[in-house]
Amino acid sequence: MRKSVLNKLNFLLNSRSLLCSNAFYSRQLSTKINRDHKIPDDNLTLKDFLVVGKNLPKQNIKYEGTDENEDILPPYLQNIDIDGQGRKVYFDVYGCQMNVNDIEIVWSILKSHNYKKTQELMEADVILIMTCSIRDSAETKIWNRLTHLTGMKRKRPKNQPLNIGILGCMAERLKETLIEKERQIDLIAGPDAYKDLPRLLSLSKNGYSTINVLLSLDETYADVMPVKFDKNAVSAFVSIMRGCDNMCSYCIVPFTRGKERSRPIDSIVKEIRTLHEEQGIKEVTLLGQNVNSYRDTSKGIKDCPTELVTGFKTVYKTKVGGLRFGELIEHVANISPELRIRFTSPHPKDFPKSLLEVINNYPNICKSLHIPAQSGSSSVLERMRRGYTREAYLELIRDVRKIIPNVSLSSDFISGFCGETEDDFQQTLSLINQVKYNVAFLFPYSMRAKTTAYRKFTDDVPNDIKLERLHRMVETFRENAQVLNEKFIGTKQLILIEDTSKRSEKEVYGRCDGNIKVIIPSSDKFSIGDYVAVEITSASSQVLKGFPLEKISLTDFYRQC
Ligand code: SAH
Ligand code: SF4
Ligand code: F3S
């Protein structure tokens, strides 16, 4: 019976989230489930869940900004002290770069509410886990970690309580079922609910299980300046858009991250200027689930039609208006010629020639493009709902190489998607052989509930075949990458020194324009954060080695080359 009650709550929360936008931000949905999880189950509505509690009178909730239910707020939502009072937070981060950036947004919000950060698990008052749901294996890893952390929580003395919070995509995907499965979890916050964390954490501190998994139509955290975890970092991620409307049939992201929305250009430029001018950041990576479909409509100016590349289509209605990615990246490139720019993850459909020309024209925009293909078979691509054929993808690659001659390429591929035959897979291998990528991210298919593939197709490629195909993809990628990387030998590359090599104190590393790791001997003539001209002396499929020629500015390097 309890399960059906929770399903009902799930449904109610989901229907709310569809309605919600940031304008309704104050319509907090905080589920208070009493700790022994006894939930009354007759004729329940969402309001019942909001007020269920041992000591609280049953009363109606008033959502701010609405006329719904005039009565007063329950005591735990009234005048709650959201100050962290110096409580120490330990952060654990899983998943993509968006999560790395999001945790810095979370930290910025908590820091301004008087929380402290700790790197010592044992002294933490709060543990927040930023999670990923992209594949089953990603979630398994997090469950294993949770087993360890909840065991630790159980052993804590009463006078040193610990709260555990789940943030991000797994929080959004599993919602309150997380608490159902692991009762030591105190807090669940989805990707658009981070501004609510001070309130949720205060409630958790007072013994409530709290959840906010509302997805927003316009939350971009544009007004939150992320606080860097690593003060000495020379590069930074900057989130420019959130969510995804593409609905690739295998992918959970549109369900965990919600609708696509772009952050206003002014706030992006302001953040990057601050990072570069005040925090010494030399390289920024513009981030988004679909970074090149960026569209800033905040000023309502300029009716820019979508320039879809021939052979590409979308599952959504053509969007119009606003400033596009090509214009944004030009604005960012103009902040300083000494600031290097990368971006990820783009979608192949949003690479119009005008964007490729902008990338080629600016020396400080790296000539390294991630163009995720996912498969080399047109019939698999069709089932994946990628919106292009093998031929259209190859045509795009031809254009890219024509306009940006020395471009280096990376891609994502999935092995063993529903219905993938050996012949389909051979086409993937032939695409990898034909295009030749410098970097590739290769995954075995993992079916995700809710997705189109889950509803329409059968996960019919056995696991051992998925893994065997993955192995063959890795081999094919590596053989090609080895040949490509060897072509760098004898060339001069500009690298930004990032850190000391993990293997040896006597070596440092950075990345060349093509985003390949380059290791060089350390020297007192340059340090972390400097651009150094390097001659490449050896290459493997993963890494280049070289010797330093001189410390140099980005502008001077490209003037010479
Ligand atoms: N928005 C980005 C990537 C998001 S996820 C893009 O479209 O490129 C990163 C990669 O994970 C995807 O490109 C895809 O290759 C892989 N992926 C996504 N869902 C997956 C699934 N269900 N099983 C295996 N790999 C998956
Ligand atoms: Fe997922 Fe496709 Fe969106 Fe990338 S573009 S996040 S793969 S739905
Ligand atoms: Fe994972 Fe969510 Fe990123 S599912 S890959 S953390 S957008």
Side-chain angles (χ1 to χ4, degrees):
M1 188 53 123
R2 202 179 81 207
K3 198 163 173 89
S4 69
V5 168
L6 284 165
N7 282 343
K8 190 165 187 174
L9 172 63
N10 195 4
F11 169 76
L12 288 162
L13 285 170
N14 274 330
S15 26
R16 279 281 162 192
S17 33
L18 289 176
L19 288 173
C20 180
S21 79
N22 206 27
F24 298 117
Y25 173 69
S26 55
R27 296 176 75 175
Q28 318 286 6
L29 299 184
S30 170
T31 327
K32 179 187 181 304
I33 302 172
N34 50 348
R35 286 288 194 217
D36 51 3
H37 291 258
K38 285 196 186 115
I39 302 171
D41 53 22
D42 47 341
N43 297 323
L44 291 169
T45 68
L46 181 60
K47 277 175 274 164
D48 295 294
F49 289 97
L50 287 161
V51 294
V52 169
K54 279 189 206 134
N55 305 316
L56 294 171
K58 209 167 181 191
Q59 57 195 322
N60 289 330
I61 292 283
K62 181 183 179 208
Y63 297 112
E64 283 171 47
T66 75
D67 296 333
E68 243 175 287
N69 305 315
E70 262 66 52
D71 293 348
I72 54 161
L73 290 164
Y76 67 92
L77 290 181
Q78 283 175 16
N79 305 324
I80 181 157
D81 182 3
I82 58 169
D83 189 276
Q85 296 160 351
R87 288 210 294 159
K88 294 193 179 110
V89 189
Y90 180 93
F91 295 97
D92 235 359
V93 188
Y94 296 84
C96 64
Q97 292 100 327
M98 290 291 286
N99 273 4
V100 176
N101 186 244
D102 278 3
I103 204 75
E104 293 178 343
I105 290 172
V106 167
W107 171 224
S108 172
I109 292 165
L110 294 185
K111 196 169 181 232
S112 66
H113 284 82
N114 197 18
Y115 280 87
K116 301 262 177 291
K117 185 154 74 74
T118 179
Q119 290 181 341
E120 295 298 325
L121 253 184
M122 298 316 277
E123 64 169 34
D125 303 303
V126 176
I127 297 174
L128 293 179
I129 312 174
M130 184 62 88
T131 60
C132 173
S133 279
I134 199 81
R135 283 166 290 275
D136 194 48
S137 55
E139 289 196 357
T140 306
K141 207 161 131 193
I142 294 163
W143 279 117
N144 291 341
R145 177 69 168 156
L146 258 172
T147 307
H148 172 71
L149 297 175
T150 52
M152 205 181 95
K153 178 177 169 180
R154 281 190 197 93
K155 287 189 207 134
R156 275 278 173 99
K158 275 218 155 59
N159 62 357
Q160 208 202 336
L162 175 65
N163 286 139
I164 297 181
I166 307 294
L167 315 180
C169 291
M170 213 168 141
E172 193 63 50
R173 189 177 93 78
L174 296 172
K175 304 186 170 63
E176 73 289 339
T177 56
L178 273 168
I179 298 187
E180 207 189 8
K181 196 164 166 197
E182 177 45 81
R183 293 171 181 205
Q184 297 294 329
I185 295 172
D186 303 282
L187 176 156
I188 298 170
D192 291 344
Y194 300 144
K195 284 181 185 160
D196 197 20
L197 276 173
R199 189 186 69 94
L200 297 176
L201 279 169
S202 293
L203 289 168
S204 307
K205 187 179 169 229
N206 288 305
Y208 294 98
S209 297
T210 57
I211 171 167
N212 186 343
V213 286
L214 286 179
L215 285 173
S216 159
L217 294 177
D218 56 9
E219 179 61 272
T220 58
Y221 298 106
D223 51 341
V224 180
M225 175 79 186
V227 176
K228 298 278 146 245
F229 269 31
D230 179 0
K231 291 269 172 263
N232 301 319
V234 294
S235 58
F237 293 126
V238 175
S239 174
I240 64 159
M241 51 90 69
R242 297 177 78 85
C244 179
D245 289 346
N246 285 327
M247 300 298 280
C248 300
S249 66
Y250 51 83
C251 185
I252 194 66
V253 171
F255 301 90
T256 61
R257 293 270 173 175
K259 299 292 288 174
E260 189 176 300
R261 65 219 101 120
S262 296
R263 180 178 163 186
I265 201 162
D266 295 345
S267 89
I268 298 169
V269 169
K270 189 170 161 222
E271 177 178 335
I272 297 176
R273 205 180 281 286
T274 308
L275 285 169
H276 182 57
E277 291 170 4
E278 294 171 26
Q279 298 179 25
I281 292 294
K282 294 279 188 66
E283 179 182 290
V284 287
T285 303
L286 308 178
L287 283 185
Q289 285 309 335
N290 202 342
V291 83
N292 51 343
S293 75
Y294 176 87
R295 181 184 293 273
D296 173 13
T297 48
S298 63
K299 294 195 179 88
I301 47 160
K302 235 179 139 181
D303 188 18
C304 260
T306 305
E307 291 175 77
L308 260 191
V309 181
T310 319
F312 289 80
K313 60 180 194 284
T314 58
V315 293
Y316 52 80
K317 239 175 80 194
T318 306
K319 299 175 185 180
V320 287
L323 290 164
R324 304 302 318 274
F325 184 67
E327 291 161 275
L328 168 74
I329 202 166
E330 249 190 304
H331 273 82
V332 174
N334 282 325
I335 290 174
S336 160
E338 288 302 307
L339 176 71
R340 228 183 199 188
I341 296 135
R342 302 185 189 275
F343 58 92
T344 198
S345 226
H347 191 285
K349 74 177 159 49
D350 293 308
F351 276 112
K353 288 195 178 132
S354 56
L355 172 59
L356 299 175
E357 275 150 14
V358 169
I359 295 169
N360 192 49
N361 288 345
Y362 282 83
N364 57 338
I365 303 180
C366 290
K367 312 300 175 264
S368 110
L369 297 185
H370 185 61
I371 311 190
Q374 312 297 358
S375 170
S377 150
S378 292
S379 68
V380 173
L381 287 168
E382 168 120 39
R383 280 199 300 286
M384 287 179 161
R385 296 173 95 197
R386 287 293 287 177
Y388 52 86
T389 56
R390 173 192 176 94
E391 291 67 36
Y393 181 88
L394 285 171
E395 185 64 36
L396 171 68
I397 298 293
R398 270 191 288 275
D399 283 345
V400 167
R401 289 216 157 105
K402 210 187 300 165
I403 297 173
I404 315 172
N406 288 324
V407 70
S408 66
L409 296 174
S410 61
S411 182
D412 296 349
F413 286 95
I414 297 174
S415 67
F417 183 61
C418 308
E420 184 190 74
T421 61
E422 177 59 27
D423 182 54
D424 289 320
F425 180 67
Q426 285 299 330
Q427 292 182 53
T428 295
L429 294 184
S430 97
L431 188 89
I432 297 174
N433 274 323
Q434 207 172 327
V435 176
K436 303 184 194 309
Y437 299 97
N438 296 81
V439 177
F441 303 91
L442 310 169
F443 312 101
Y445 174 59
S446 165
M447 187 167 254
R448 314 308 284 142
K450 276 195 186 175
T451 57
T452 307
Y454 178 81
R455 287 185 281 108
K456 287 199 174 159
F457 307 135
T458 311
D459 187 10
D460 54 359
V461 179
N463 211 31
D464 55 341
I465 307 261
K466 284 179 187 167
L467 294 177
E468 186 270 334
R469 287 181 186 167
L470 174 70
H471 182 72
R472 279 191 278 158
M473 282 201 296
V474 172
E475 291 288 296
T476 307
F477 155 70
R478 283 207 176 140
E479 283 161 20
N480 285 296
Q482 175 74 42
V483 175
L484 280 184
N485 286 354
E486 279 171 8
K487 289 190 182 153
F488 281 103
I489 297 175
T491 65
K492 208 166 137 185
Q493 299 292 322
L494 182 73
I495 70 169
L496 172 64
I497 308 289
E498 287 173 34
D499 210 343
T500 308
S501 162
K502 283 191 188 81
R503 294 225 177 121
S504 163
E505 291 262 300
K506 291 183 186 144
E507 289 176 334
V508 290
Y509 70 87
R511 271 162 207 285
C512 64
D513 188 280
N515 210 14
I516 303 156
K517 190 171 176 183
V518 182
I519 300 174
I520 58 168
S522 47
S523 155
D524 54 12
K525 296 202 177 91
F526 53 82
S527 52
I528 291 168
D530 287 335
Y531 286 111
V532 175
V534 167
E535 184 171 325
I536 304 300
T537 50
S538 69
S540 74
S541 61
Q542 318 266 5
V543 72
L544 304 174
K545 286 197 166 187
F547 65 86
L549 299 168
E550 59 176 324
K551 177 178 153 180
I552 192 168
S553 73
L554 195 152
T555 323
D556 286 345
F557 181 85
Y558 287 108
R559 197 177 291 132
Q560 284 173 19
C561 288

